[in-house]
Amino acid sequence: MSTAPTTTGTDASPQSVAPAPRRSGWAPLRPLVLRLHFYAGVLVAPFLLVAATTGFLYAASFQAEKALYSHEMTVPVGDDKLPVSEQVAAARKAHPEGTVSAVRPSPKDDETTRVMLSGVPGIGETHTLAVFVDPYTAEVRGALEQYGSTGALPLRTWIDEFHANLKLGDDGRLYSELAASWLWVIAGGGLVLWFSRRRTQRRIRGTSGRRRTLGLHGSVGVWAAVGFVFLSATGLTWSTYAGANIDELRTSLRQATPSVSAAAGGEHSGHDAGSAEGGVEHGVGLDKVLASARAKGLGDPVEIVPPADDSSAYVVRQVQRSWPTKQDTVAVDPATGEVTDTVRFADFPVLAKLTRWGIDAHTGVLFGLVNQLVLMALALSLILLILWGYRMWWQRGRASAFGRPVPRGAWQQVPAYVLVPLMAGIAVLGYFVPLLGITLAAFIAVDVLLGEIAYRRGKRTYGPAKESAT
């Protein structure tokens, strides 16, 4: 019986072997981003939750303030407004305590004039007592504590300070800076993770369990991410450490916000005036000063700051931060009533303008009610994302294990040509945003320590993380 010859070596028919799939440069990075997003979300989320909740309340406080303090803020429209000097005199008669630090003449027909007093017993050093005067009758309609350049009254002031520093002073500001430092990192990482997933894995309809929670978390996060990055960047501009670095950078680039010379007679001293020691009616008086500012094109709303001393000038500045922004400023010589210096918002450096607009949009004043509604929507989105994130952490647990973490060792899969520049970039970023750098370094140190402990116990796990769809 004959058998078919067996062919070997080069005589064998070639076998078709599929080439090994080429691993993309992103593949080893994804587990690293996932681990960072997971741990940053878990550890920083409490700070973000407080910031989001208080931010929501702050955005809503503008309208609440108008309703709560309507008696003090508004008046029936009369025929002719009295001179500002008479209105200030009425305020001082009712409240002789303290010193007049600024005056905001009635900006609209139905709004009161505000006379701000500093050094009033029982009022904080950075706060003033705002006396509200009817511009038509000089009737004092009330007095309330006020804070900040936007004229926040007690309700908004309390929420603002809790949002900014948890009512703990300068030390408490570190909480909000920490939240702002990490918000853009978490949002950016979430975007990268969402768009790197297969399209079929992004669906929400027809899913359940952790996959549905992940779908909701990702979908809302994608839509809100740009807003989060904006809030993070603008929040950092007036933070303690990152804000100081930003100011230093702007100054080095000659992009600092300019200010008028407050020296009388046109001598440039490079500072703004504070409160007057000898009374508000210094030299030519408020009415002449206001008329000089009007002649230079400064329309309402304006604020008049009396001279700090005998060698200083009045400073009149526009205080409209809603769009279009009015921020022109003039200095007026108290002896002659002549304008000695002028700064126009149109002449601000580009970064100074962007900073002004960014802060005003962050605080909800740039576009009024629309701005406030957008901020409330972003704050609510962040609250939901945090709650969904913690729910996913719960759903990730197995049996008695709560919140099963993403496996470690992801960084070992990243090629050196990617890892080294990445670490260098993180180091530079950590220098300019210190609370991000310090907390990230602490996270890495703790993670390495826990990894070593697990290794010595024989439980260390390496390799890329796998996301569960259940």
Side-chain angles (χ1 to χ4, degrees), residues 49 213 217 381-392:
L49 187 60
T213 308
H217 181 88
S381 297
L382 185 54
I383 293 171
L384 290 174
L385 288 170
I386 292 170
L387 296 179
W388 283 328
Y390 277 121
R391 178 171 174 76
M392 281 192 294

Side-chain angles (χ1 to χ4, degrees), residues 395-437:
Q395 292 172 322
R396 191 178 178 85
R398 292 293 183 272
S400 61
F402 170 76
R404 180 168 56 89
V406 180
R408 1 183 111 77
W411 66 272
Q412 294 182 337
Q413 308 299 320
V414 181
Y417 67 85
V418 175
L419 186 62
V420 173
L422 181 63
M423 296 302 293
I426 291 175
V428 172
L429 182 62
Y431 174 81
F432 284 102
V433 189
L435 289 192
L436 174 63

